[in-house]
Amino acid sequence: AQKGTLHRNFQGYSTHAGCSIAGFGPSAISQTKKSYRQNTKDLGVYTEAINNGNLPIEKGLILTDEDQLRRDIIMQIMCKGSVNFHALSSTWDLPLDHFANDFKAFQPLIDDGLISFSSHTLQVTQIGRFFLRHVAKVFDKYI
């Protein structure tokens, strides 16, 4: 975390950012830069699919550019405890007002002492570190 190389995936925290993950076994989740897939949870269905030469995928999601942007924001919150929206809008070639609706959702988090927000930078507070998922969910459009 101190070196800024921390990354998070379905298995937890790691220092291997950007790696594709292949999940094997029932319920396993696979991840690539542009997709997520989850294997069936049913062992019988899983085994039958494998025995028939098929992938045992039960559900999947192809990520849009917006999904990838939001994953980047969530990753920064979860791993760095801060997001600089000026830098983010430059990296993703987006106008700063792209985040206007998200900024409106910050007030309850500020009121609860979980984040501070100034100069277009979100900073998780000491107490907010215990609620990283709560802070990050502001950016999860699938919640």
Side-chain angles (χ1 to χ4, degrees):
Q2 292 172 345
K3 292 179 183 177
T5 60
L6 198 60
H7 182 74
R8 183 166 171 77
N9 59 38
F10 287 106
Q11 285 75 40
Y13 287 95
S14 166
T15 55
H16 300 287
C19 293
S20 292
I21 298 170
F24 296 94
S27 190
I29 297 173
S30 299
Q31 172 183 338
T32 64
K33 181 179 178 180
K34 295 190 176 199
S35 70
Y36 293 110
R37 291 158 315 288
Q38 184 173 21
N39 291 346
T40 180
K41 298 171 185 150
D42 184 291
L43 180 60
V45 173
Y46 178 89
T47 303
E48 184 179 343
I50 295 297
N51 288 340
N52 290 328
N54 298 316
L55 294 174
I57 297 170
E58 182 172 292
K59 56 186 168 183
L61 177 67
I62 302 297
L63 301 176
T64 65
D65 290 343
E66 183 70 17
D67 292 334
Q68 292 174 68
L69 165 66
R70 291 182 173 277
R71 178 171 62 185
D72 186 10
I73 295 169
I74 291 168
M75 190 70 61
Q76 289 184 43
I77 291 169
M78 299 294 291
C79 298
K80 296 179 181 176
S82 66
V83 181
N84 179 318
F85 289 93
H86 277 296
L88 197 68
S89 65
S90 176
T91 299
W92 286 86
D93 193 28
L94 294 168
L96 192 55
D97 66 359
H98 181 84
F99 306 104
N101 287 334
D102 299 306
F103 295 163
K104 292 175 189 173
F106 292 168
Q107 196 57 52
L109 299 172
I110 294 168
D111 293 345
D112 290 341
L114 303 181
I115 66 166
S116 63
F117 185 65
S118 64
S119 301
H120 293 93
T121 298
L122 177 152
Q123 180 67 50
V124 176
T125 65
Q126 282 291 87
I127 196 157
R129 289 191 140 333
F130 293 104
F131 300 96
L132 287 174
R133 286 181 162 204
H134 186 71
V135 173
K137 79 177 185 178
V138 167
F139 298 96
D140 187 344
K141 71 178 186 176
Y142 295 102
I143 252 197

